Amino acid sequence: MGLSIDEQKAVDRFRKGVVEPSMTNLVILDFWAEWCGPCKALTPVLEKVAADYADKGVVLAKINVDEEQFIAAQFQVRSIPTVYAMFQGQPVADLTNARSESQLKGMLDQLLAKLPIQPGGAPAQDIAPLLAMGEDVLAGGDAERAASIFAQILEIAPDNGPAHAGLIRAMLAAGEVDSAQQLVDALPPELAGDAEIVRAKAALELAKDKPEDSELAALRLAAEADPADMAAQLAYATAAFAAGNRDAAAETLLAMIAADRTWNEGAARAKLLQIFEAVGLEDPWVAAMRRRLSIILFG
């Protein structure tokens, strides 16, 4: 959106340090500077109150206006200290005039009575925006950042199945298959049946078949050379999906099913269904491929 690299970095720091924590907590956002005497007087008050209210879901975030001039400008900070309360990415109160411990606690008590903050954890509706953010980032191709978001969610809600699944899929997207397997091995037993976990496990099993580029090329050539060689077709389809080419994998498997749906006890159909599960049954691509499969099977 026209931001410089430094401005983009500033926005990312603010998102990670303030916006993301504010999705499930009430963040006291303090704009300050080293040279500001009143800021130094206010800091101990803010820190004490934040510590006293930590079990109520209150955290303190500090923005040095000299180091983060772009962020300060977005908040139109004209004097310091300036203090806001942030919840779910938005300012919900100006706390600047609360300079004493009792004043600050009084304002926080009013806010906490109105906002859906649950001490010791976050309600599902508060985690949902973070999950959506992680999925959007992962879909955009930034696997490392997506993994960081899902890991942060798990710090808030360690038993959240979609967050575990998202972290596994992010690790797979980053090419960290062994790390993804370790995550699966460490999953709590009660999450084994979670639909998103099942999907992530399916993706992991398929990712284990990812070949080197030269091997994939050889498998493709072998499949093209003899369309009747079902074993060669299946090997190529499996490798193609693991390498990220789901269209080639599906086209190959659909052609196999059309030619001989009973080959090897329906291995082509079983592989295609495994791919559907890994991608997600609600995915539009899966819906389109399932329609094509139905036409082949039932006319």
Side-chain angles (χ1 to χ4, degrees):
M1 299 297 292
L3 299 182
S4 68
I5 294 177
D6 287 341
E7 289 170 345
Q8 291 174 17
K9 290 180 178 179
V11 170
D12 285 341
R13 288 193 295 271
F14 183 77
R15 182 183 296 113
K16 292 177 181 178
V18 178
V19 175
E20 291 176 6
S22 78
M23 302 310 294
T24 54
N25 298 281
L26 183 64
V27 176
I28 300 174
L29 179 59
D30 176 30
F31 289 93
W32 69 290
E34 290 286 353
W35 46 264
C36 172
C39 297
K40 294 180 179 179
L42 182 61
T43 292
V45 177
L46 296 177
E47 291 177 345
K48 182 178 187 304
V49 171
D52 290 345
Y53 276 59
D55 60 349
K56 298 181 180 181
V58 175
V59 297
L60 175 63
K62 299 176 69 64
I63 299 290
N64 187 320
V65 297
D66 291 331
E67 297 175 354
E68 301 289 1
Q69 296 181 21
F70 179 73
I71 298 300
Q74 303 312 300
F75 279 82
Q76 299 182 351
V77 174
R78 294 184 172 85
S79 63
I80 52 175
T82 292
V83 185
Y84 290 110
M86 301 280 294
F87 182 63
Q88 294 190 343
Q90 300 295 325
V92 292
D94 186 342
L95 306 179
T96 303
N97 291 327
R99 299 299 178 93
S100 70
E101 182 178 334
S102 60
Q103 289 174 332
L104 185 58
K105 287 185 174 180
M107 296 185 72
L108 290 178
D109 286 339
Q110 293 179 26
L111 291 170
L112 291 170
K114 300 175 183 178
L115 299 174
I117 297 172
Q118 294 186 359
Q125 63 266 30
D126 288 341
I127 293 175
L130 280 176
L131 287 170
M133 180 189 300
E135 293 293 346
D136 287 344
V137 171
L138 183 57
D142 192 342
E144 183 177 347
R145 182 165 167 251
S148 176
I149 293 172
F150 289 123
Q152 289 178 35
I153 297 172
L154 290 173
E155 291 179 3
I156 300 168
D159 297 327
N160 187 272
H164 279 286
L167 182 56
I168 292 166
R169 290 185 288 107
M171 297 303 292
L172 291 176
E176 299 292 340
V177 176
D178 290 341
S179 296
Q181 181 64 63
Q182 292 174 7
L183 292 174
V184 169
D185 293 341
L187 285 172
E190 59 270 20
L191 292 180
D194 183 277
E196 291 297 320
I197 295 294
V198 172
R199 174 189 169 194
K201 287 181 177 179
L204 172 60
E205 290 306 310
L206 290 167
K208 292 177 180 178
D209 296 314
K210 184 176 181 179
E212 298 293 334
D213 290 345
S214 58
E215 182 183 356
L216 178 62
L219 291 170
R220 177 174 55 80
L221 290 173
E224 292 174 349
D226 188 359
D229 186 343
M230 290 295 194
Q233 303 302 312
L234 182 61
Y236 171 61
T238 301
F241 183 81
N245 193 342
R246 65 184 186 182
D247 288 332
E251 293 292 345
T252 302
L253 293 169
L254 287 170
M256 291 177 65
I257 295 167
D260 184 358
R261 70 184 67 177
T262 63
W263 176 78
N264 196 17
E265 299 182 346
R269 182 172 179 270
K271 179 62 68 174
L272 188 58
L273 294 179
Q274 186 183 19
I275 288 174
F276 289 169
E277 187 175 52
V279 175
L281 298 181
E282 75 289 347
D283 190 280
W285 180 86
V286 170
M289 292 300 166
R290 290 179 72 178
R291 286 192 293 271
R292 291 182 59 184
L293 177 61
S294 296
I295 292 172
I296 293 172
L297 293 176
F298 307 112

